[in-house]
Amino acid sequence: MSKIITIGRQFGSGGRAVGKKLAKELDISFYDNEIVDKVVADSDLHPDVVKSADERATDSLLYSLITGGGLRGVSDAMQYEMPINDKVFIKQTKVIKEFAAKGSGVFVGRCADYILEEQKGVLRVFIYADMETRIARVAEFDGITPQKAKERIVKKERQRKAYYNYYTDKAWGSMQSYDLCINTTRTGIDGAVDIIKDFLEKKG
Amino acid sequence: MSKIITIGRQFGSGGRAVGKKLAKELDISFYDNEIVDKVVADSDLHPDVVKSADERATDSLLYSLITGGGLRGVSDAMQYEMPINDKVFIKQTKVIKEFAAKGSGVFVGRCADYILEEQKGVLRVFIYADMETRIARVAEFDGITPQKAKERIVKKERQRKAYYNYYTDKAWGSMQSYDLCINTTRTGIDGAVDIIKDFLEKKG
């Protein structure tokens, strides 16, 4: 049976690193930005547009400004066009399902836990860490000050949460939405990988 | 080095069963109602009083009614007596620290993760489960209808959350308060025990 592991993650917690190492050790596919690349390859949308909409919910104010909102009146109702972020979400949904149908894989972010929830045996993991660990990680990775790192974390997290809560009926970062939640401040990246691997070996 | 594992748990999730089995397999002490029994043995409080205050925060309204609150005026300020639930919490804190000083052990509930947080190497686990699993478990265990089971879960959970949030500076059931959160709907009791054991073996 194919193994599907979805990984939600706090920004700076090392969730991507956990997923990548896990996929390598299990010798299965890894999907993170690969999801975005496939959407770009399959669609007529500009790569920059797809990337800017990745894991960001539709901004209703921006959308309203672009389409003219109610300003131009009811006669414009027929001109309704789906917001670009919704289009990208729908295309990502399709891509994620196609990838999952190919066999075992690790999916990072993009509401994959929700998109694949009807598939049997999906293991839904969430990776998080204490704020100090995340600040240190982001500061080092991006070569920025701890203050700047914290600002990035708060901003990115607000976006991810809004994205998840907008497109799913679940709550991002609330344990009830997942099967296993691991704090990498305590476990480290390798420890988190071990926990997931051990569990998959025993319970599949 | 001694191993201390604290287990927070949703009511009906099997957290106690996980803790008990884990302690048995690791051959270390298990503390759940044992904490309450020790408080009773060590204090001059009536056993019923200690039990009714176990994992329940001080009810400020009740306290105010018992002590007379502001009704009898400022002159009563000297008659202030510490609420019974606060007394029990303080005694439980002492007992938990004494038990932890004796060596390895599994502690269920009672804010043990917070009380022992300065002790090095404590693993803070939270056990939860989907509502349906918890209802089925409580209904079977207590021999009551699913409807009654759900009512018990909601009530007990409100108490545990209020207790934890009142006596600690952390949020009960929020993953950020723990190192590892396990959904027993997916893992089962044995699976949860395995995950914790595997982790302890590798990382201590």
Side-chain angles (χ1 to χ4, degrees):
Chain A
M1 203 184 74
S2 71
K3 285 184 166 83
I4 303 285
I5 303 103
T6 64
I7 298 195
R9 74 293 187 217
Q10 284 186 337
F11 190 73
S13 67
R16 177 186 158 81
V18 170
K20 191 148 194 162
K21 188 161 187 228
L22 179 69
K24 200 178 167 197
E25 294 196 2
L26 295 174
D27 195 22
I28 62 177
S29 302
F30 175 70
Y31 305 110
D32 184 357
N33 297 326
E34 290 75 2
I35 297 164
V36 182
D37 295 343
K38 180 85 169 105
V39 168
V40 169
D42 285 1
S43 79
D44 48 3
L45 294 168
H46 192 280
D48 291 349
V49 168
V50 175
K51 276 167 197 164
S52 74
D54 180 37
E55 291 201 276
R56 296 188 62 170
T58 295
D59 181 326
S60 56
L61 174 64
L62 185 68
Y63 174 62
S64 152
L65 289 172
I66 290 168
T67 61
L71 290 174
R72 289 185 292 166
V74 182
S75 65
D76 280 60
M78 296 303 287
Q79 290 180 25
Y80 173 87
E81 202 192 338
M82 185 184 287
I84 191 72
N85 300 52
D86 293 0
K87 274 188 194 169
V88 171
F89 176 77
I90 289 167
K91 285 179 195 293
Q92 283 196 355
T93 299
K94 192 165 163 283
V95 165
I96 287 169
K97 287 186 173 173
E98 282 169 8
F99 280 149
K102 291 206 290 186
S104 298
V106 175
F107 293 81
V108 176
R110 280 96 188 171
C111 309
D113 56 311
Y114 174 78
I115 291 165
L116 300 175
E117 72 178 351
E118 283 174 24
Q119 190 149 337
K120 253 187 110 97
V122 173
L123 182 67
R124 303 165 304 167
V125 177
F126 192 87
I127 300 293
Y128 62 106
D130 296 352
M131 186 50 109
E132 282 168 34
T133 314
R134 291 151 65 201
I135 289 174
R137 193 177 170 84
V138 172
E140 194 192 333
F141 198 82
D142 290 352
I144 54 181
T145 65
Q147 179 56 34
K148 284 275 171 220
K150 189 171 182 185
E151 286 166 16
R152 273 209 78 189
I153 289 168
V154 171
K155 190 182 162 195
K156 276 281 188 183
E157 208 127 288
R158 201 186 300 130
Q159 286 173 1
R160 281 186 187 169
K161 189 173 187 168
Y163 181 77
Y164 189 91
N165 295 356
Y166 183 87
Y167 289 110
T168 80
D169 56 2
K170 308 199 300 175
W172 184 85
S174 166
M175 60 173 79
Q176 210 71 38
S177 303
Y178 313 94
D179 300 315
L180 198 54
C181 310
I182 306 172
N183 184 341
T184 53
T185 299
R186 179 66 167 84
T187 66
I189 303 298
D190 294 353
V193 172
D194 282 344
I195 289 170
I196 303 168
K197 257 177 56 189
D198 284 342
F199 175 72
L200 287 168
E201 272 164 26
K202 285 190 180 145
K203 287 269 177 171
Chain B
M1 203 183 76
S2 71
K3 285 184 165 85
I4 303 286
I5 303 103
T6 65
I7 299 196
R9 73 292 187 218
Q10 284 186 337
F11 190 73
S13 68
R16 178 185 156 81
V18 170
K20 191 147 195 164
K21 190 162 186 228
L22 179 69
K24 199 178 168 197
E25 295 197 3
L26 295 175
D27 194 23
I28 63 177
S29 302
F30 175 70
Y31 305 110
D32 184 356
N33 298 326
E34 290 75 2
I35 297 164
V36 182
D37 295 342
K38 181 85 170 101
V39 169
V40 170
D42 285 0
S43 79
D44 49 2
L45 294 168
H46 192 279
D48 292 349
V49 168
V50 175
K51 276 168 196 163
S52 74
D54 180 38
E55 292 202 275
R56 294 188 66 168
T58 296
D59 182 325
S60 56
L61 174 64
L62 185 66
Y63 174 61
S64 153
L65 288 172
I66 289 169
T67 60
L71 289 175
R72 288 186 289 164
V74 182
S75 65
D76 279 59
M78 296 303 287
Q79 289 179 26
Y80 173 87
E81 204 193 340
M82 186 184 286
I84 192 72
N85 300 53
D86 292 1
K87 276 189 194 167
V88 171
F89 176 77
I90 289 168
K91 284 178 195 293
Q92 283 196 354
T93 298
K94 193 165 162 284
V95 165
I96 287 169
K97 285 185 173 173
E98 281 169 10
F99 280 150
K102 291 207 290 188
S104 299
V106 175
F107 293 80
V108 176
R110 280 96 188 172
C111 309
D113 56 311
Y114 174 77
I115 291 165
L116 301 174
E117 73 178 351
E118 283 174 22
Q119 190 148 339
K120 253 187 109 99
V122 172
L123 182 67
R124 304 166 303 168
V125 177
F126 192 87
I127 300 293
Y128 61 107
D130 296 352
M131 185 51 109
E132 282 168 34
T133 314
R134 291 152 64 202
I135 289 174
R137 192 176 171 84
V138 172
E140 194 193 333
F141 198 82
D142 290 352
I144 53 181
T145 65
Q147 179 56 34
K148 284 276 172 218
K150 189 171 182 186
E151 286 166 16
R152 274 209 77 189
I153 290 168
V154 170
K155 191 183 161 195
K156 276 282 187 183
E157 208 127 288
R158 202 186 299 130
Q159 286 173 1
R160 280 185 188 170
K161 188 174 188 168
Y163 181 77
Y164 189 90
N165 296 356
Y166 183 85
Y167 289 110
T168 80
D169 57 1
K170 308 198 299 173
W172 183 87
S174 165
M175 60 172 79
Q176 210 72 37
S177 304
Y178 314 95
D179 300 316
L180 197 53
C181 309
I182 306 172
N183 184 341
T184 53
T185 299
R186 178 67 166 82
T187 66
I189 304 297
D190 294 353
V193 172
D194 282 344
I195 289 170
I196 302 168
K197 257 177 58 189
D198 285 342
F199 175 71
L200 287 169
E201 272 164 27
K202 286 190 178 144
K203 286 270 177 170

